[in-house]
Amino acid sequence: MKQKDILAGLKEKYHIEELNDMQKDVLSTSNQDGDIILLSPTGSGKTIAFLIPVLKALKEPNGNLQAVIIAPSRELVMQIGKVARDIAIGHKVTCCYGGHNVIDEKQSLSVTPSIIVSTPGRLLDHIKRDHINVHSTRLLVLDEFDKSLELGFQDEMRRILRRMPNIGRRYLTSATNIDEIPDFVRIFKPQIVDFSENKDELDQRTTILRVNSDDKDKLQALFKLLRNVPNGRTIVFANYRDAVERIYYFLKDNDVPVGVYHGGLEQIDREKAISMFNNGSYSVMITTDLGARGLDITEVMNIIHYHIPITEEIYTHRNGRTARINATGNVYVLVNSTDKLPEYMKFDGKFTMNDDAEMQLSAPFATLFFQAGKKEKISRGDILGFLSNNGGIDGKEIGAIDLHDHYALVAVPIHKANDILNRIAKLKIKNKRVRITLATI
């Protein structure tokens, strides 16, 4: 692909007028020989940084797999796949990950794509079933490689890479420096593009405050804190899945606009959780450390540590969800009398709460769930036209439309949601009867 076409696609789809310094550096480095290691925090634009040179290096579609991008989580695979599809004009991009319909993936692979974006386990499964031949792959990206090693994907990646003898260039990205890269990656004398965030710079953009809880159980303190924080996306981290569920139901019962995200949820509920948090259907998300990395969540204002993180690395990744790319953010650490604070945890001050404060956190949208998606030949334009023509709503009032294989999520003003549902309940979209409900998790 031509660089000007890729940049034009970024401008059209993502309104990116100019690449950031890290993306420019990777692009410049890619014009030289050798593999590339990119060190940069999550949320800094790594996906675009490696996609531009990968797409530039693609030949015309020729029936062979040209590039493989391996990422450690389903959410990251979907995020990369979406950007790749938006700008890889003329090239087929297929995403493969656990929780996705295997039959849909097999059918998609029946016509060999130019690019596969996949988690390690699902890609190895397709290879073993002869659904795809990776022998021709010339370009390999190992995204969030440090996270892949942390999650135990080393064996799967070793077995995949053994089947790729023709790799001409490797891109390895990581949020943290990797002391030793395993031999199976076969990366030697790489060029290193180091944009790993300076901790002092991040600290300058982040205000870290101690919040005392009078009780060992921090639920009431958290509820009071949420009434005191400024309005904006707020993530609450807890160490355990059962604690996340307990916090979620407590806040939900107290009418807080809250959602939940953890590894025990079905894949569709995890996807809905992120979409609804991003589109304004709720402003608070309770999560385990699964939510600390690899998720496409923008403009988080407040981070709350309900539990003290287990390691300094986890603490850093949690805090890194806010104050992204020169923005500022607030970090609150709930502390009770039994908590032992680690030495690395430094506070800018103590946060004093107002007992009479009223909740500022708001959720201006509700989400409509369309039980049909790309595989049913439904597009974003179809949904937008259907709602604006039949739902009693101006198209400009409709928020984000997230289109998946077999369903779609559409943000609409919360005060109009029920009226819209009543208007469209018995109507067909594209001559199809599609079940439409209010989305819940």
Side-chain angles (χ1 to χ4, degrees), residues 339-391:
D339 282 326
K340 295 181 180 179
L341 298 179
E343 291 184 4
Y344 61 75
M345 193 174 284
K346 309 296 183 184
F347 298 108
D348 296 312
K350 177 183 174 183
F351 186 69
T352 302
M353 295 188 285
N354 176 4
D355 290 343
D356 298 323
E358 295 185 1
M359 183 74 67
Q360 298 182 59
L361 300 172
S362 62
F365 286 93
T367 298
L368 302 182
F369 180 88
F370 282 67
Q371 201 165 334
K374 289 181 285 189
K375 297 296 184 181
E376 288 75 34
K377 309 299 183 185
I378 300 293
S379 70
R380 289 182 177 85
D382 294 330
I383 292 172
L384 184 63
F386 175 70
L387 290 177
S388 57
N389 291 331
N390 303 289

Side-chain angles (χ1 to χ4, degrees), residues 75-88:
E75 289 77 11
L76 191 52
V77 166
M78 290 187 289
Q79 176 188 330
I80 297 168
K82 180 182 184 303
V83 179
R85 286 187 179 115
D86 283 343
I87 62 177

Side-chain angles (χ1 to χ4, degrees), residues 171-324:
Y171 293 83
L172 189 153
T173 84
S174 176
T176 57
N177 195 21
I178 301 172
D179 295 331
E180 185 176 348
I181 297 174
D183 290 341
F184 70 82
V185 180
R186 291 178 288 173
I187 191 167
F188 302 104
K189 296 182 180 179
Q191 301 191 65
I192 298 175
V193 179
D194 190 352
F195 276 75
S196 50
E197 185 142 34
N198 184 296
K199 189 174 184 300
D200 292 336
E201 293 178 0
L202 179 61
D203 288 346
Q204 290 173 11
R205 303 201 311 271
T206 307
T207 303
I208 303 177
L209 299 168
R210 173 174 176 150
V211 184
N212 290 332
S213 172
D214 295 333
D215 302 321
K216 183 178 178 180
D217 189 334
K218 302 176 184 178
L219 283 178
Q220 291 296 335
L222 174 62
F223 184 43
K224 186 189 294 186
L225 175 59
L226 290 174
R227 297 200 307 271
N228 278 264
V229 299
N231 190 23
R233 290 196 183 101
T234 300
I235 301 179
V236 180
F237 285 102
N239 290 347
Y240 313 104
R241 189 183 299 174
D242 58 347
V244 166
E245 291 280 341
R246 179 170 175 261
I247 296 166
Y248 167 67
Y249 285 112
F250 171 80
L251 295 178
K252 190 175 181 181
D253 289 344
N254 282 277
D255 298 322
V256 176
V258 63
V260 62
Y261 181 89
H262 59 68
L265 297 176
E266 294 292 331
Q267 177 63 23
I268 188 172
D269 288 327
R270 288 166 65 170
E271 293 169 7
K272 285 195 291 184
I274 300 305
S275 289
M276 293 171 70
F277 190 46
N278 273 330
N279 72 19
S281 292
Y282 57 82
S283 56
V284 181
M285 185 172 77
I286 317 299
T287 183
T288 59
D289 289 314
L290 184 67
R293 293 179 64 182
L295 299 182
D296 186 16
I297 299 173
T298 59
E299 299 176 356
V300 176
M301 178 174 287
N302 308 303
I303 297 296
I304 299 174
H305 299 271
Y306 185 86
H307 289 139
I308 305 300
I310 297 172
T311 67
E312 182 176 6
E313 183 180 13
I314 291 173
Y315 179 64
T316 300
H317 285 310
R318 287 182 180 183
N319 292 351
R321 298 294 345 177
T322 190
R324 295 290 186 88

Side-chain angles (χ1 to χ4, degrees), residues 97-110:
Y97 51 88
H100 198 204
N101 190 306
V102 177
I103 296 175
D104 286 343
E105 289 183 356
K106 181 182 177 182
Q107 290 175 342
S108 183
L109 293 170
S110 64

Side-chain angles (χ1 to χ4, degrees), residues 135-203:
H135 188 272
S136 61
T137 304
R138 297 182 301 106
L139 303 162
L140 173 68
V141 179
L142 300 176
D143 193 26
E144 300 256 1
F145 186 67
D146 55 335
K147 184 67 173 177
S148 293
L149 295 180
E150 178 187 323
L151 292 174
F153 290 131
Q154 185 161 324
D155 184 58
E156 286 94 337
M157 289 190 293
R158 179 188 294 110
R159 295 166 70 185
I160 292 168
L161 267 59
R162 274 206 307 254
R163 294 166 166 84
M164 294 181 176
N166 296 311
I167 297 171
R169 167 163 275 176
R170 297 162 181 81
Y171 293 83
L172 189 153
T173 84
S174 176
T176 57
N177 195 21
I178 301 172
D179 295 331
E180 185 176 348
I181 297 174
D183 290 341
F184 70 82
V185 180
R186 291 178 288 173
I187 191 167
F188 302 104
K189 296 182 180 179
Q191 301 191 65
I192 298 175
V193 179
D194 190 352
F195 276 75
S196 50
E197 185 142 34
N198 184 296
K199 189 174 184 300
D200 292 336
E201 293 178 0
L202 179 61
D203 288 346

